[in-house]
């Protein structure tokens, strides 16, 4: 009688052990894959010959160029960006600057108009007063102000160097290039602990991750700022989608699937303002994670099943799509590990693959340390080794990333379930407002 009553409970617990163990093994395998990927990228940057494609191009038949400056309530930064662009070495008769003032309610419009009054033949403002919210929707409407086939996009807080436009346009002499991305460097890195940590993160992401993917012929990612597009390529893939929070990630994959090349230029540096408060950083990460995962759901299987894309690029593209899902999977792995510990020790023997994943998981207690190794390599390549003393504190940023990704995934699920429109959360600025001369 006792055996009859206990058997179902034992059977159910055994199935739970097997299920939990399977989840744990899968999470561990993904962690191993991502770890190997990060170390391959780091070793490539340390020991492989580094070529700076297109850097030698300083003269040529420069095409007509349109520069869009995306601005929504950017009175504190927009003048600095426009003033920096006015110092460009790009031929002025081949240049058009279009500040895209998207429904601003502060002094952004007046400041843009003051700068435009000094350069009426160069600056063509687009003051958008209605329409769908979001950067992609605003840029989509602004295309009617474009001249030529090449466009470059900056956010209003960016400070482009005088020679940057030529550096970003040079790859478009290659007819297979559909998009170009430059390197983003924080200009307020010394403001506080958060900005210093974000400076380290940016260095790892661009100096190592992006450049290694470019070196290895994989999938460099087009960015929504300090990035350029060929309009004919943009038109071929259907233009910007205005129903996504990560129009740059979405564009990267649509161009990839259509056969266009994306070029990353590590030497093409531009300077941005990174968040100076953790709450602002968390909201920024949440927006990025939601938009990136939205693209993952749309593009993962079309990419993996596309025979026209080289197999290594399909695998790297799939792994790149998963970067904002891995923190959530890591939490699932933590839960599975705790569950395995709490379950009956005798029943744990039912799962033959339990021991080594648990050992590996204990080694990866705080996640994928391959990312931290990339940061170390990038910092040394940049000649900023003194900053490495902050490396242990990157665990703070990692914790914020996990919380933001979990919030983004739950929000994305609710948006889909309740048929809600995506909400664009603008990143707060910290610079004091500049006055147009």
């Amino acid at each position: 009688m006792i055996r009859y009553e206990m058997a179902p409970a034992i059977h159910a617990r055994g199935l739970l052990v097997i299920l939990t163990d399977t989840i744990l093994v899968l999470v561990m395998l993904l962690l191993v894959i991502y770890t190997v990927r990060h170390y391959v990228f780091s070793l490539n940057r340390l020991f492989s010959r580094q070529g700076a494609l297109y850097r030698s191009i300083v003269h040529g038949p420069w095409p007509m160029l349109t520069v869009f400056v995306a601005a929504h309530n950017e009175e504190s930064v927009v003048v600095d960006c426009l003033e920096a662009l006015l110092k460009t070495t790009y031929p002025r008769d081949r240049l058009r600057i279009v500040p895209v003032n998207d429904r601003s309610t502060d002094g952004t419009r007046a400041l843009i108009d003051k700068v435009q009054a000094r350069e009426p033949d160069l600056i063509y403002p687009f003051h958008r007063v209605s329409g769908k919210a979001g950067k992609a929707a605003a840029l989509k409407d602004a295309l009617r102000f474009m001249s030529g086939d090449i466009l470059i996009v900056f956010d209003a807080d960016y400070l482009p160097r005088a020679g940057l436009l030529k550096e970003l346009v040079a790859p478009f002499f290659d007819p297979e290039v559909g998009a170009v991305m430059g390197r983003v460097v924080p200009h307020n890195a010394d403001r506080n602990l958060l900005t210093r940590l974000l400076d380290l993160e940016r260095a790892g992401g661009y100096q190592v991750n992006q450049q290694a993917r470019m070196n290895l012929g994989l999938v460099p990612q087009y960015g929504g700022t300090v990035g350029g597009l060929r309009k004919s390529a943009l038109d071929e893939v259907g233009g910007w989608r205005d129903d996504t929070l990560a129009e740059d990630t979405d564009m990267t994959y649509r161009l990839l699937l259509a056969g266009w090349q994306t070029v990353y230029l590590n030497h093409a540096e531009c300077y941005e303002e990174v968040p100076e408060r953790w709450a602002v950083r968390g909201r920024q990460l949440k927006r990025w994670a939601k938009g990136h995962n939205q693209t993952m759901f749309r593009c993962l299987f079309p990419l993996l099943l596309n025979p026209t894309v080289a197999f290594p690029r399909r695998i790297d593209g799939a792994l790149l799509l998963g970067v904002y899902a891995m923190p959530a999977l890591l939490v699932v792995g933590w839960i599975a590990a705790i569950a395995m510990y709490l379950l009956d020790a005798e029943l744990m023997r039912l799962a033959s693959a339990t021991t080594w994943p648990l050992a590996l998981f204990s080694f990866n207690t705080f996640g994928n340390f391959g990312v931290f190794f990339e940061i170390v390599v990038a910092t040394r390549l940049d000649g900023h080794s003194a900053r490495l003393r902050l490396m242990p504190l990157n665990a703070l940023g990692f914790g914020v990333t996990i919380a933001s990704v979990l919030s983004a995934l739950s929000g994305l699920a609710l948006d889909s379930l309740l048929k809600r429109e995506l909400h664009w959360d603008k990143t707060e600025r910290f610079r004091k407002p500049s006055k147009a001369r």
Side-chain angles (χ1 to χ4, degrees):
M1 185 68 178
I2 293 177
R3 286 186 178 179
Y4 178 79
E5 291 178 347
M6 292 296 292
I10 294 174
H11 179 68
R13 184 176 291 185
L15 290 177
L16 180 60
V17 169
I18 294 173
L19 176 61
T20 305
D21 181 80
T22 302
I23 293 172
L24 191 57
V25 170
L26 291 175
V27 172
M28 289 303 98
L29 285 174
L30 284 172
L31 271 176
V32 169
I33 290 170
Y34 274 96
T35 300
V36 171
R37 175 176 178 264
H38 289 306
Y39 281 114
V40 168
F41 291 170
S42 299
L43 293 174
N44 173 268
R45 291 295 287 125
L46 281 173
F47 300 113
S48 296
R49 182 179 179 182
Q50 307 300 321
L53 286 176
Y54 311 104
R55 189 170 189 171
S56 61
I57 300 177
V58 292
H59 303 289
W62 298 105
M64 187 67 197
L65 172 66
T66 301
V67 176
F68 291 107
V69 180
H72 173 67
N73 290 337
E74 300 282 18
E75 65 179 4
S76 64
V77 295
V78 69
V79 172
D80 292 340
C81 182
L82 293 177
E83 294 286 0
L85 284 170
L86 291 176
K87 297 174 183 176
T88 182
T89 60
Y90 202 84
R92 294 170 73 88
D93 62 335
R94 311 296 295 164
L95 177 64
R96 171 177 288 206
I97 300 172
V98 180
V100 183
N101 171 31
D102 182 23
R103 303 167 297 114
S104 295
T105 56
D106 61 358
T108 299
R109 178 170 186 156
L111 290 170
I112 290 174
D113 287 343
K114 284 184 180 180
V115 179
Q116 189 269 341
R118 293 180 8 234
E119 299 284 352
D121 296 329
L122 195 60
I123 299 178
Y124 298 80
F126 171 40
H127 297 297
R128 187 172 184 255
V129 296
S130 62
K132 194 170 184 178
K135 181 178 174 181
L139 291 174
K140 191 175 182 180
D141 290 347
L143 282 177
R144 66 176 181 267
F145 291 87
M146 183 175 174
S147 179
D149 192 40
I150 307 299
L151 64 95
I152 289 174
V153 180
F154 294 106
D155 283 347
D157 64 304
Y158 279 67
L159 297 173
R161 297 177 294 103
L164 181 63
L165 295 185
K166 281 187 175 181
E167 291 172 346
L168 292 174
V169 170
F172 289 109
F173 287 120
D174 183 343
E176 294 185 353
V177 172
V180 169
M181 179 63 194
R183 180 178 176 181
V184 177
V185 179
H187 68 76
N188 60 332
D190 294 330
R191 193 63 55 88
N192 56 37
L193 174 62
L194 173 59
T195 60
R196 287 178 172 87
L197 293 177
L198 290 178
D199 182 46
L200 291 174
E201 179 186 293
R202 293 288 196 276
Y206 287 96
Q207 175 69 273
V208 174
N209 205 292
Q210 278 272 58
Q211 184 61 52
R213 279 185 273 140
M214 182 68 193
N215 293 345
L216 296 168
L218 299 175
V219 184
Q221 186 174 358
Y222 162 74
T225 189
V226 198
L229 287 168
R230 192 185 300 273
K231 187 174 184 297
S232 51
L234 179 66
D235 291 339
E236 181 182 330
V237 300
W240 278 295
R241 281 197 178 117
D242 56 13
D243 60 348
T244 179
L245 293 176
E247 84 289 342
D248 46 4
T249 305
D250 174 78
M251 186 57 61
T252 298
Y253 284 88
R254 286 197 285 146
L255 289 172
L256 176 63
L257 292 170
W260 289 95
Q261 299 296 317
T262 296
V263 170
Y264 172 68
L265 304 171
N266 199 50
H267 62 275
E269 294 184 358
C270 190
Y271 307 101
E272 68 161 343
E273 180 185 88
V274 292
E276 297 180 10
R277 293 206 306 268
W278 286 100
V280 177
R281 172 59 173 168
R283 289 194 295 272
Q284 183 187 62
L285 277 171
K286 182 178 177 180
R287 187 184 78 231
W288 289 354
K290 184 180 282 190
H292 195 98
N293 287 327
Q294 186 184 32
T295 301
M296 179 182 69
F297 295 138
R298 286 174 171 171
C299 297
L300 179 58
F301 288 109
L303 172 64
L304 290 174
L305 300 176
N306 190 325
T308 65
V309 179
F311 183 73
R313 302 189 80 198
R314 276 185 274 171
I315 297 302
D316 180 63
L319 293 173
L320 179 60
L321 281 173
V323 294
Y324 278 107
M326 278 305 297
L329 290 177
L330 186 61
V331 172
V332 172
W334 286 344
I335 294 171
I338 293 170
M340 289 296 295
Y341 176 77
L342 295 176
L343 288 171
D344 192 302
E346 290 295 323
L347 290 172
M348 285 178 65
R349 296 196 183 100
L350 292 172
S352 60
T354 297
T355 305
W356 70 266
L358 281 174
L360 184 59
F361 195 87
S362 65
F363 177 76
N364 286 283
T365 303
F366 291 101
N368 188 348
F369 286 106
V371 177
F372 298 157
F373 188 71
E374 282 188 351
I375 292 174
V376 172
V377 171
T379 305
R380 291 190 65 84
L381 288 173
D382 285 337
H384 298 150
S385 298
R387 298 180 184 177
L388 293 178
R389 66 183 183 274
L390 295 175
M391 279 301 300
L393 298 177
N394 274 285
L396 293 173
F398 187 73
V400 172
T401 298
I402 288 179
S404 300
V405 168
L406 290 174
S407 177
L409 285 171
S410 61
L412 195 60
L414 286 174
D415 290 341
S416 178
L417 184 64
L418 301 177
K419 307 298 183 183
R420 297 187 307 200
E421 288 192 5
L422 294 176
H423 172 68
W424 181 271
D425 186 10
K426 177 187 174 298
T427 301
E428 182 181 342
R429 307 301 182 201
F430 299 90
R431 210 184 309 164
K432 292 182 179 180
S434 299
K435 295 182 179 180
R437 295 198 300 268

